[in-house]
Amino acid sequence: MLFLDQINTRDKRVLIRMDFNVPISKGEIINDARIRASLPTIKLALRSNAAIMLLSHLGRPTEGKYDQNLSLQPIANHLSSLLNQDVRLIREWTDGVEVKLGEVVLLENVRFQAGESKNEEEFARKMAALCDVFVMDAFGAAHRKQASTFGVIKFAPIACTGPLLRSEIDALNKVLQEPKRPIVAIVGGSKVSTKLAVLKKLSTIVDYLIVGGGIANTCIATKDINIGKSLYERNMLDTAAALLEGRDNQAMIPLPVDVVVSDVLSGDGKARIKAIEDIQDDELILDIGPATANNFSKIISEASTILWNGPLGVFEFDQFSEGTRAVCEAIAESNSFSVAGGGDTLAAIEKYGISDDISYISTGGGAFLEFLGGKILPSIEILQKRA
């Protein structure tokens, strides 16, 4: 691929596709990790006196309609503070943008524009016409074949890869192509179905595959163990059983021996520790238990490479957070090369203050999983063709 630092952007119009899809509540940014991760790319373009236009999506608005609740204005305000210069938000931009050399502007939510999700050529060409150089730097959206992540790359005068996307690819390739063993993968989440491809792939290359959340519940249910009212996928039981018993498995897949249960999923729910065989019909599994946390922590402590996507319990409520906290601390104390990604994972890292102890924190969720699952991401494929 071509990379931004190989391109002459001096006095050029540069359009950069970022991933500013961050959690916002009542106009306040809750976690700005993705925004801060973009700063080196913006500053690199600023050093060449480029006229910089930033492009991103936020949330899932109705395409073609403006939604004030999903406006990028809070992000423009935050970027102004981080860059120590005014960053204007441009609401109407498809027919041209006035931007001066050395200026940074943010284009309003690309998903407000008709033609984005279906990768319509007319819209892609309009974006390409805005710039001399297009930079794809949104790893978190690189798995989507949309106009701003794929189509524009086909038609821009020059299309290249930004530093953040490059670092994401390098970190994940290091894990997949040159890993130091033993390798431990930790995959949490509500559904086996949404993560099946990556689970299958990881089971053939890692030494231990630790599963949590609804994925673990579905695996437990294959053992004819009562999981009460817990979240699981009945239609995925055969798939989960095949995963646990896979002939091609290199991975050991340890399941919980104890769990934390409650009658309700809420901040008021009373937590009870139960052996996995003792769960009642009216109980919900909401976290792993202390014995399981100790088992998993020991496996993590002996790892040389760690991949982490997804918490192991409903860590948003403190009484159901101890399992995720124990795993966080084990990763932080490990001497391994660790890579973590996914929105809930980033929130857990932030909650337990271990960001400095993770070797690489990916900004991607779905893209992170699809890359690990062996898929060629559409944005990467088209960048390679353009190069």
Side-chain angles (χ1 to χ4, degrees):
M1 292 184 286
L2 289 175
F3 300 108
L4 178 57
D5 57 7
Q6 298 171 326
I7 305 297
N8 178 15
T9 56
R10 173 66 56 184
D11 299 339
K12 300 285 181 63
R13 292 172 62 88
V14 178
L15 176 62
I16 310 175
R17 177 54 160 102
M18 297 293 194
D19 182 9
F20 293 147
N21 189 31
V22 299
I24 297 176
S25 177
K26 298 178 181 179
E28 296 293 324
I29 295 170
I30 298 170
N31 186 320
D32 71 344
R34 283 178 170 169
I35 300 174
R36 285 185 280 108
S38 74
L39 295 180
T41 303
I42 300 171
K43 291 177 180 178
L44 178 60
L46 277 173
R47 285 200 291 271
S48 64
N49 198 40
I52 302 168
M53 296 161 282
L54 306 178
L55 184 65
S56 180
H57 72 282
L58 176 64
R60 298 179 181 273
T62 300
E63 189 167 293
K65 293 185 179 181
Y66 175 80
D67 182 348
Q68 185 175 353
N69 293 323
L70 293 174
S71 170
L72 300 188
Q73 187 62 61
I75 295 167
N77 296 341
H78 194 56
L79 279 169
S80 297
S81 175
L82 292 173
L83 293 169
N84 198 29
Q85 70 178 73
D86 184 46
V87 176
R88 291 186 293 126
L89 180 70
I90 311 295
R91 180 166 170 176
E92 303 294 337
W93 50 266
T94 55
D95 295 321
V97 178
E98 291 186 13
V99 54
K100 299 175 183 176
L101 296 176
E103 186 181 14
V104 180
V105 299
L106 178 61
L107 311 186
E108 184 58 286
N109 195 334
V110 68
R111 288 186 177 169
F112 290 170
Q113 305 296 330
E116 163 66 357
S117 64
K118 294 183 179 179
N119 187 31
E120 291 183 4
E121 181 174 325
E122 181 182 357
F123 181 45
R125 286 186 180 276
K126 282 188 174 184
M127 282 186 285
L130 297 175
C131 64
D132 302 307
V133 178
F134 177 80
V135 184
M136 177 59 186
D137 211 32
F139 179 71
H143 61 310
R144 303 194 183 280
K145 194 173 183 178
Q146 298 179 338
S148 69
T149 60
F150 187 89
V152 63
I153 297 172
K154 292 172 63 177
F155 303 118
I158 297 173
C160 65
T161 304
L164 179 58
L165 179 55
R166 183 180 189 175
S167 65
E168 297 270 10
I169 295 168
D170 288 347
L172 293 177
N173 276 337
K174 181 176 180 180
V175 170
L176 292 176
Q177 296 174 6
E178 302 173 358
K180 292 184 178 179
R181 294 189 180 275
I183 312 169
V184 175
I186 305 152
V187 182
S190 59
K191 295 181 178 181
V192 172
S193 55
T194 58
K195 297 187 177 181
L196 180 60
V198 72
L199 290 169
K200 284 183 174 179
K201 174 76 171 180
L202 290 174
S203 70
T204 66
I205 61 174
V206 306
D207 298 291
Y208 288 92
L209 176 56
I210 294 172
V211 293
I215 297 172
N217 296 344
T218 303
C219 290
I220 292 167
T222 68
K223 306 294 186 182
D224 292 326
I225 293 173
N226 180 22
I227 59 169
K229 299 187 299 181
S230 306
L231 174 68
Y232 83 110
E233 290 179 284
R234 184 184 298 274
N235 65 336
M236 296 297 289
L237 289 174
D238 289 345
T239 302
L243 177 71
L244 293 173
E245 300 163 8
R247 293 179 181 178
D248 296 329
N249 282 11
Q250 173 161 309
M252 295 280 293
I253 306 179
L255 294 178
V257 295
D258 63 343
V259 291
V260 178
V261 302
S262 182
D263 299 328
V264 292
L265 172 53
S266 77
D268 298 325
K270 185 177 180 180
R272 299 184 294 275
I273 299 169
K274 288 281 189 83
I276 200 70
E277 299 85 4
D278 296 337
I279 299 167
Q280 302 300 305
D281 291 343
D282 60 348
E283 292 178 326
L284 294 156
I285 300 172
L286 299 177
D287 193 13
I288 57 173
T292 301
N294 286 336
N295 292 344
F296 290 175
S297 295
K298 185 175 187 301
I299 291 170
I300 291 166
S301 71
E302 296 172 352
S304 294
T305 303
I306 298 172
L307 285 167
W308 177 29
N309 175 266
L312 297 184
V314 188
F315 74 99
E316 295 87 350
F317 301 126
D318 287 344
Q319 68 269 43
F320 309 124
S321 67
E322 286 303 299
T324 300
R325 181 190 60 76
V327 166
C328 280
E329 290 179 353
I331 295 171
E333 292 168 5
S334 166
N335 294 320
S336 64
F337 178 79
S338 54
V339 180
D344 288 341
T345 312
L346 298 183
I349 289 170
E350 188 86 10
K351 179 172 182 175
Y352 300 113
I354 64 165
S355 58
D356 291 342
D357 301 305
I358 305 290
S359 305
Y360 190 83
I361 299 175
S362 173
T363 58
F368 178 85
L369 287 172
E370 290 194 13
F371 193 101
L372 292 178
K375 290 187 179 180
I376 298 175
L377 305 186
S379 295
I380 294 174
E381 183 178 23
I382 191 65
L383 284 165
Q384 290 171 333
K385 287 181 179 179
R386 278 302 309 267

